Amino acid sequence: MKIKSILVSQPAPNESSPYLEIAKKEKIKIDFRPFIHVQGVDAKELRTQKIDLTQYTGIIFTSKNAIDHYFRLAEEMRFTVPDSMRYICQSEAIANYLQKHIVYRKRKISFGEKTFSDLTPLFKKHPSEKYLLPSSDILTPEVPKVLDSSNIDWTRAIMYKTVASDLTDININDYEMLVFFSPQGIKSLKINFPDFEQKETKIAVFGTTTQAAAEEAGLTVNVMAPTKETPSMTMAIEKYIKSINK
């Protein structure tokens, strides 16, 4: 069966996206729709986690979402974040995003290269802070491992959750291929379309955890990324389309 239309479970990209190049080159339709979205918890829910924002002298940020929800809850709880707060950010891009909420100059801000384990030297440099980790309800196992091995005092606070978006206006059977980037995306498919049967529909997944979730849900994975040959999802899709749309 030829691929004529693809549904990508992400927001629509900008005009220079490789997806749009594929659509043009291969004469296929590619639609975009986020299968999941982020929902903030309220102050009441944070208190049930026994989190008191005044007790922490350092914050560990792993994403821009974490920054937004930390400052939102601080405002909701009428907590003025002190100028003395230490910020440890996973990357420079995340550190720069802090400027949306604080005056960046003269603040105690450090950041790693890219991965969470890159932060280990920073924790060794500042071991005496009492750290708060604002996070989603889903946490990469590497994060607590790195924090525990760094011998620092840290507490996780779930400040936002990843939930399934309402997709009931979509006719899922209009697409010959569905593209997923997270286990939560697979879960959303099952929530929105409980009667969905794969049949001839091709499933593309990014990452081994997404692959595992798809297979656990009884789906057959047809396109996998990243691989050595196809490090990006768009490369993997293009290669598959060329082989099937001959």
Side-chain angles (χ1 to χ4, degrees):
M1 185 181 72
K2 285 192 173 186
I3 307 288
K4 294 172 195 162
S5 57
I6 297 174
L7 180 60
V8 179
S9 62
Q10 280 191 332
N14 60 37
E15 286 176 16
S16 59
S17 165
Y19 283 108
L20 307 181
E21 290 291 314
I22 295 170
K24 202 173 165 185
K25 214 190 302 182
E26 302 298 329
K27 295 182 174 63
I28 57 170
K29 184 173 86 142
I30 302 181
D31 289 340
F32 299 88
R33 183 70 177 267
F35 273 44
I36 53 176
H37 65 276
V38 165
Q39 204 170 64
V41 310
D42 59 17
K44 189 182 172 186
E45 198 174 334
L46 190 67
R47 284 191 194 100
T48 64
Q49 298 175 49
K50 297 186 169 58
I51 300 294
D52 176 358
L53 298 181
T54 65
Q55 297 304 299
Y56 302 94
T57 59
I59 312 282
I60 302 160
F61 286 127
T62 58
S63 70
K64 293 175 183 178
N65 271 332
I67 292 174
D68 284 340
H69 287 286
Y70 170 77
F71 284 99
R72 173 185 62 81
L73 282 161
E75 195 177 332
E76 204 177 306
M77 298 169 96
R78 298 201 171 102
F79 168 63
T80 305
V81 182
D83 292 350
S84 59
M85 185 68 79
R86 182 172 301 285
Y87 300 96
I88 307 270
C89 301
Q90 189 165 324
S91 68
E92 189 175 3
I94 293 167
N96 286 335
Y97 188 74
L98 271 170
Q99 292 176 91
K100 184 182 170 186
H101 298 279
I102 61 166
V103 178
Y104 198 86
R105 227 171 93 253
K106 295 180 183 172
R107 293 290 193 275
K108 299 175 181 176
I109 300 165
S110 314
F111 52 85
E113 288 294 314
K114 192 180 178 185
T115 67
F116 194 77
S117 56
D118 294 338
L119 301 181
T120 306
L122 299 176
F123 297 135
K124 283 184 178 161
K125 198 176 172 186
H126 310 289
S128 58
E129 306 289 1
K130 194 173 180 187
Y131 289 103
L132 184 69
L133 174 78
S135 85
S136 150
D137 54 329
I138 297 145
L139 189 63
T140 312
E142 180 201 20
V143 172
K145 266 187 207 166
V146 169
L147 293 172
D148 288 340
S149 65
S150 298
N151 294 319
I152 54 167
D153 182 345
W154 71 279
T155 303
R156 178 188 179 189
I158 295 171
M159 294 192 170
Y160 55 102
K161 293 176 180 178
T162 306
V163 296
S165 301
D166 182 0
L167 309 169
T168 46
D169 59 309
I170 290 175
N171 184 351
I172 203 75
N173 297 314
D174 283 350
Y175 301 94
E176 285 87 31
M177 182 185 281
L178 305 175
V179 185
F180 296 97
F181 295 86
S182 70
Q184 293 75 41
I186 302 287
K187 196 176 171 186
S188 178
L189 173 74
K190 289 292 173 185
I191 290 167
N192 280 282
F193 311 102
D195 301 324
F196 173 76
E197 288 179 31
Q198 185 175 355
K199 295 179 182 172
E200 295 294 309
T201 308
K202 307 303 176 195
I203 301 290
V205 301
F206 191 89
T208 51
T209 55
T210 312
Q211 181 187 17
E215 288 167 356
E216 204 177 300
L219 301 170
T220 300
V221 173
N222 307 97
V223 181
M224 177 72 197
T227 65
K228 274 186 180 177
E229 279 187 356
T230 56
S232 73
M233 180 53 90
T234 46
M235 287 169 79
I237 290 170
E238 189 170 12
K239 187 186 175 193
Y240 187 80
I241 288 171
K242 278 181 174 163
S243 70
I244 208 166
N245 282 12
K246 283 175 182 173

